[in-house]
Amino acid sequence: MRRIYMDANATTPLLPEVLEAVRPFWVEQFGNASSIHQQGQAVRAAVDRAREQVAGMLGCRVAEVVFTSGGTESDNMALFGVLEPGDHLVATSIEHHAVLHAAEALAERGVEVTLLPCGPNGVVEVAALKAALQPNTRLVSVMLANNETGVIQPVRELAAVAHAAGALFHTDAVQAAGKLKIDVAELGCDLLSISGHKMYAPQGTGALYLRRNVRLRPMFFGGLHERGRRAGTENVAGIVGLGKAADSARGWMGGTASGSGLPSLAAMAALRNRLEQGILAAVEEAGVNGAGAARVSNTSNMYFDLVEAEALVIALDLKGLAVSGGSACQSGATEPSHVLTAMGLSEARARASVRFSLSRMTTQDEVDAVLTIVPRAVARLRELSPKKLVLATGS
Ligand code: PLP
């Protein structure tokens, strides 16, 4: 059976050019970037080059890039590195657990935490941040694009408000990198997290942008790697892959998608919109969560009333389509999505919501195939739904 992958927000495949760039560093070029000899210097040069590539994607200085093991580490580094007992952190109720659970752990250590709500469209309001600020607010952390809905947050405005109150601003840009043009100066953030495996680089890679002059307490202690900000021998192959993916993302976003003639991001949005409109035309009692807000072009979170998302994900998987219900990191959890409930969805509707996330490899043929698979699967599950029977008999 032909398989269709629409779960790019969980992880992306490696781009062929990324694999090609990485391969030598798993085989011939195996040096330690801290070694003085030639093998060491060769991989040091590769790490330096990757740092330039990531800095190029973010619009920052090379010295402001700290390589990490991924989005979770970057988020934790930002929060734990800045906050001390007695400080106040403002985050939002729709952050990824990498921020939310770090905030919980910090609260246990005496950091005051406020979580901002979002509106029904999934957007955090600037007025809510203004109202939450306190004299001891040290850090504000608001994601750039939400992983479940794709909704884009007004980070530039939020960062300006945080700065006016003397606080630092961190944004989790894990789901924005490679889907939105990012310029840290334009956004006005002091810290920004990215993850390699959401942008076609290997899993276990990532980076934290740390603005010059922002002091960060390291999480790991050991050697002086990453200018003393992150001890531990560099994951050279992974870093090279992240650098190549950063370069590729810039090229892709600046170019046109093959065949369509449209700018890449617009072409991806067109495919996503075709998917949404096609499903909405074929399926009743369905809708798009966060439809009223600006969203990254690859993500669509849809509810199908009277259907259990988990059952639908399994039914679609059996038909060859990979999607996710809630966020992948939560799979197995019985709680409905914290993001969707924060947007005011009922528990039932949150549990009836599925995320489709397209990748750069998604084709129109695949979207068209999905437009057949999804309505059939939803109809089949609704036939089996005891709730539907209750509605049908009016009892
Ligand atoms: N932040 C967001 C918004 C995410 O979507 C994810 C992963 O899904 C993470 C952080 C964690 O990134 P990683 O898987 O690289 O640890």
Side-chain angles (χ1 to χ4, degrees):
M1 193 200 307
R2 167 187 179 199
R3 291 214 46 100
I4 301 175
Y5 185 75
M6 287 203 182
D7 202 13
N9 287 10
T11 200
T12 51
L14 281 197
L15 285 170
E17 65 258 35
V18 171
L19 178 59
E20 205 182 302
V22 163
R23 199 193 302 271
F25 294 91
W26 278 326
V27 192
E28 312 92 45
Q29 288 188 263
F30 57 84
N32 183 320
S34 301
S35 300
I36 289 172
H37 51 62
Q38 287 185 21
Q39 278 98 330
Q41 291 313 299
V43 298
R44 164 61 53 209
V47 169
D48 289 347
R49 170 90 192 105
R51 205 181 303 278
E52 282 166 18
Q53 291 168 316
V54 172
M57 182 181 78
L58 301 178
C60 67
R61 297 180 180 86
V62 286
E64 293 173 323
V65 174
V66 183
F67 288 119
T68 67
S69 65
T72 301
E73 186 186 328
S74 299
D75 286 345
N76 275 264
M77 198 189 245
L79 270 61
F80 281 89
V82 166
L83 293 158
E84 289 180 4
D87 287 342
H88 178 223
L89 163 70
V90 181
T92 81
S93 48
I94 58 166
E95 296 301 311
H96 188 270
H97 284 132
V99 167
L100 285 179
H101 289 170
E104 271 171 30
L106 282 160
E108 281 168 17
R109 298 178 191 189
V111 172
E112 238 184 296
V113 177
T114 302
L115 296 182
L116 303 177
C118 70
N121 56 0
V123 180
V124 174
E125 286 184 15
V126 178
L129 173 58
K130 280 186 183 153
L133 291 166
Q134 300 175 182
N136 62 337
T137 307
R138 173 98 182 102
L139 182 70
V140 175
S141 178
V142 182
M143 66 199 328
L144 187 44
N146 183 266
N147 44 304
E148 295 192 35
T149 60
V151 169
I152 299 169
Q153 302 302 326
V155 160
R156 190 152 38 125
E157 293 79 357
L158 294 165
V161 168
H163 288 153
L168 293 170
F169 191 89
H170 165 249
T171 189
D172 174 340
V174 165
Q175 294 291 350
K179 302 172 198 168
L180 287 181
K181 285 188 183 149
I182 296 178
D183 182 326
V184 289
E186 213 174 281
L187 288 174
C189 53
D190 304 293
L191 305 109
L192 177 147
S193 306
I194 62 168
S195 168
H197 74 110
K198 314 291 184 176
M199 47 176 282
Y200 310 92
Q203 297 176 344
T205 64
L208 179 70
Y209 155 73
L210 179 64
R211 190 171 58 72
R212 197 167 56 158
N213 298 333
V214 174
R215 287 185 58 77
L216 190 90
R217 230 171 316 107
M219 303 251 298
F220 301 158
F221 297 89
L224 289 177
H225 311 86
E226 300 297 303
R227 295 172 177 245
R229 296 168 297 189
R230 202 269 188 184
T233 300
E234 294 88 345
N235 168 11
V236 174
I239 288 170
V240 167
L242 180 61
K244 185 71 188 174
D247 242 10
S248 172
R250 281 173 89 191
W252 181 78
M253 286 190 284
T256 55
S258 56
S260 71
L262 286 172
S264 313
L265 288 169
M268 190 180 247
L271 278 185
R272 190 271 313 273
N273 296 344
R274 182 184 182 93
L275 177 82
E276 283 181 354
Q277 284 153 15
I279 291 177
L280 291 177
V283 183
E284 285 175 9
E285 294 170 272
V288 177
N289 299 316
R295 290 177 292 154
V296 285
S297 57
N298 81 316
T299 307
S300 180
N301 193 305
M302 299 189 75
Y303 64 83
F304 301 96
D305 284 342
L306 302 176
V307 167
E308 280 291 334
E310 272 184 37
L312 183 56
V313 170
I314 293 166
L316 295 176
D317 190 41
L318 292 173
K319 295 289 173 197
L321 172 62
V323 296
S324 110
S327 69
C329 314
Q330 263 174 275
S331 57
T334 49
E335 291 298 303
S337 148
H338 68 282
V339 174
L340 300 180
T341 46
M343 289 165 68
L345 266 72
S346 67
E347 200 169 296
R349 189 164 271 181
R351 286 185 196 280
S353 296
V354 166
R355 178 184 71 190
F356 301 83
S357 47
L358 282 54
S359 80
R360 279 167 55 179
M361 289 78 165
T362 303
T363 64
Q364 185 164 314
D365 278 356
E366 289 181 329
V367 168
D368 290 344
V370 171
L371 292 182
T372 308
I373 296 170
V374 170
R376 280 190 192 154
V378 171
R380 176 95 186 101
L381 288 173
R382 282 181 176 164
E383 268 167 37
L384 301 173
S385 163
K387 291 181 203 148
K388 188 72 181 175
L389 291 178
V390 171
L391 286 183
T393 57
S395 53

